[in-house]
Amino acid sequence: QSVLTQPPSVSGAPGQRVTISCTGSFSNIGAGYDVHWYQQLPGTAPKLLIYGYSNRPSGVPDRFSGSKSGTSASLAISGLQAEDEADYYCQSYDSRSYVFGTGTKVTVL
Amino acid sequence: EVQLVESGGGLVQSGRSLRLSCAASGFTFDDYAMYWVRQAPGKGLEWVSGISWNSDSIGYADSVKGRFTISRDNAKNSLYLQMNSLRPEDTAFYYCAKDPRYRAMIMGWFDPWGQGTLVTVSS
């Protein structure tokens, strides 16, 4: 059972901006542990998208951005493109264990 | 280029054992913590286990504690997961992943990931 909650799905038209929330608690995000985000394209392994709340690995477009507020974090995708259609997961740390969000499917209309 | 290639998955009966391997290349393997993460078909991600660069620190998810054992052979650039007393709920794709930070482990993240190996446990 995931301790980080994400909306099951979000959708948007090409060019629009969508955001995905990751809601935790005072034992994980609220305790100051970093949040990281992964993108999983259909049939492939997850890929790191954002680390340490808002840092992008090299090669990740700046259309992807992350932020934190209290016990939650958010991933924003601006200028949505067809190739952004995928599952997205947040990840943090809690009680000596790594925890993932429930996952969000992004659909490009 | 960093590459992680898992192997050892397959179909196994409930209660039996299986050993997964992850062959690493493209980086100095013995300087980085490594992890196993699994994903049941059509479901979300679940951290399974992690091991520090020198094997001094090891952690397990509660769901596998006492049944799974992680290990590494730095001379062979390989990570392993020994899975005993397998249950149908252990059915999943198993991914190995690298901690991108030099000689760190706690509170890390996973980058990159291997392509995964499928473990199916029948009842």
Side-chain angles (χ1 to χ4, degrees), chain B residues 68-84:
Chain B
F68 289 11
T69 302
I70 192 172
S71 63
R72 63 190 296 162
D73 185 334
N74 288 343
K76 295 183 177 180
N77 289 348
S78 293
L79 175 72
Y80 305 102
L81 186 67
Q82 177 66 42
M83 304 184 296
N84 298 332

Side-chain angles (χ1 to χ4, degrees), chain B residues 32-50:
Chain B
Y32 295 90
M34 298 293 295
Y35 305 94
W36 289 99
V37 179
R38 69 184 180 183
Q39 184 174 34
K43 302 297 184 182
L45 300 170
E46 180 188 18
W47 172 76
V48 173
S49 183

Side-chain angles (χ1 to χ4, degrees), chain A residues 7-59:
Chain A
S9 63
V10 299
S11 61
Q16 284 190 329
R17 183 176 186 268
V18 297
T19 60
I20 301 169
S21 61
C22 173
T23 303
S25 67
F26 288 107
S27 65
N28 42 69
I29 299 175
Y33 296 123
D34 282 345
V35 174
H36 321 288
W37 291 90
Y38 302 88
Q39 176 192 60
Q40 187 174 30
L41 297 170
T44 70
K47 169 193 160 187
L48 180 68
L49 202 60
I50 296 284
Y51 65 96
Y53 284 111
S54 59
N55 302 292
R56 284 185 307 275
S58 62

